[in-house]
Amino acid sequence: MSSPGLSRERTGSLAWHVGALLILAVILYPVIWVIGASFKPGKDIVNSLTLFPSHPILSNYKGLVDGIADVQIWTFFQNSLFYALGAVAGVLISCSLTAYAFARIRFAGRGLLFSLMIGTLLLPYHVLLIPQYVMFQKLGWVNSYAPLLIGKYLATEAFFVFLMVQFMRNLPKELDEAARLDGCGHLRIYWSIVLPLSRPALITSAIFTFINAWNDFMGPLIYLNEPGKYTVSLGLMMFRDSDGVAANYGGMIAMSLVALLPVLLFFLAFQRYLIDGMATSGLKG
């Protein structure tokens, strides 16, 4: 006969698992709905309450091959991939160099500059939107990817600098001292010692940067004017008609589902490094 304490423990465990499954169902419901809706005719997507159609169709996916407004659907994916990979390269190069300077080099005003950099996290994006647009317009960079990428190469992503600084501060200082005895300068120490050891933080930053750039809507909407340069997020907007209502629900949802695949694959490829990076970068220092 089981004791009352053991019975309460089992009841609590059962309740916890049931609650977790309910929360999981709520979180996964939108994804399941999108999957089911992508196989429905456009008229049934809004009117039908069933998750999956009784007679699935593939015309929504076949229609993507024809493109939108004379632009091939793969053009949007190529543009988004160029933007996302360019952003990843810029963040990893500039933010890691900046983080190395803050974490491993002593110089006058280091604490003040680091505090000012962290303070930029409190500055809303929309505050800088108009002056940045005016500046890029005068430079002739509007309708190009330069306004979207230039900041990534100038270490303007303070969160990723902070993430890398927290990681690099925990690396043993003796490594730097031993390298200096061998005649290494800061660039050699950064490239050969600190950067390889900071791989979890770098991959964590790469994952978040890729996802943010791939899903970015505001930046491309402001700076890109030609449909041939649109990213996936702007390509989805082209399914609307002149009244702002989606004219092709089936195609829009099918493209939304396809657009999730690159982000999902990128995340699955590096998820173990993401966990390592978050565990060792953000909780210490």
Side-chain angles (χ1 to χ4, degrees):
M1 189 173 188
S2 60
S3 63
L6 183 59
S7 178
R8 284 195 299 268
E9 183 179 348
R10 289 178 177 175
T11 303
S13 178
L14 179 62
W16 189 91
H17 283 85
V18 170
L21 289 175
L22 290 175
I23 294 174
L24 180 63
V26 172
I27 294 174
L28 292 181
Y29 177 80
V31 178
I32 297 174
W33 185 90
V34 169
I35 294 174
S38 67
F39 295 100
K40 294 180 181 180
K43 60 183 179 64
D44 293 340
I45 292 177
V46 179
N47 300 324
S48 178
L49 298 178
T50 58
L51 284 178
F52 293 95
S54 56
H55 301 287
I57 62 173
L58 295 176
S59 59
N60 294 328
Y61 292 97
K62 293 179 180 178
L64 297 180
V65 179
D66 300 330
I68 311 170
D70 299 327
V71 180
Q72 291 297 318
I73 205 74
W74 308 117
T75 301
F76 301 132
F77 284 87
Q78 291 173 3
N79 295 338
S80 287
L81 191 63
F82 172 78
Y83 175 30
L85 293 181
V88 168
V91 166
L92 294 185
I93 294 171
S94 63
C95 291
S96 62
L97 278 169
T98 306
Y100 175 82
F102 280 127
R104 315 296 283 191
I105 303 177
R106 294 187 177 274
F107 57 89
R110 181 178 65 168
L112 176 61
L113 291 175
F114 187 71
S115 299
L116 290 175
M117 183 203 68
I118 296 300
T120 61
L121 293 173
L122 304 177
L123 194 64
Y125 170 76
H126 305 85
V127 173
L128 303 175
L129 195 57
I130 295 177
Q132 283 182 346
Y133 182 85
V134 172
M135 178 183 67
F136 290 132
Q137 186 181 42
K138 290 182 177 180
L139 291 172
W141 289 358
V142 174
N143 198 31
S144 71
Y145 293 96
L148 302 175
L149 292 175
I150 189 65
K152 311 295 184 183
Y153 289 85
L154 297 176
T156 59
E157 301 288 341
F159 173 77
F160 298 120
V161 175
F162 172 76
L163 187 72
M164 296 180 192
V165 166
Q166 294 299 95
F167 190 95
M168 292 179 182
R169 280 178 176 172
N170 291 292
L171 298 178
K173 297 288 187 180
E174 291 78 9
L175 296 174
D176 296 20
E177 297 172 0
R180 289 194 188 95
L181 291 176
D182 291 336
C184 296
H186 284 298
L187 285 178
R188 184 62 182 275
I189 295 173
Y190 159 79
W191 180 259
S192 299
I193 298 176
V194 175
L195 210 58
L197 294 176
S198 301
R199 186 174 62 174
L202 295 174
I203 294 180
T204 300
S205 301
I207 291 174
F208 281 114
T209 301
F210 185 91
I211 294 174
N212 292 339
W214 186 270
N215 295 330
D216 186 18
F217 177 77
M218 183 65 72
L221 178 65
I222 293 172
Y223 293 111
L224 301 179
N225 301 326
E226 297 178 9
K229 296 181 180 179
Y230 281 2
T231 58
V232 170
S233 56
L234 293 186
L236 287 169
M237 186 181 65
M238 295 180 66
F239 282 96
R240 302 180 308 170
D241 57 18
S242 58
D243 297 326
V245 180
N248 183 1
Y249 283 108
M252 182 175 65
I253 291 176
M255 183 174 172
S256 300
L257 190 61
V258 175
L260 291 175
L261 294 179
V263 176
L264 180 62
L265 294 175
F266 194 87
F267 175 79
L268 291 177
F270 300 105
Q271 62 175 335
R272 68 185 185 93
Y273 296 105
L274 172 65
I275 296 172
D276 293 342
M278 294 300 294
T280 55
S281 300
L283 302 179
K284 296 181 181 181

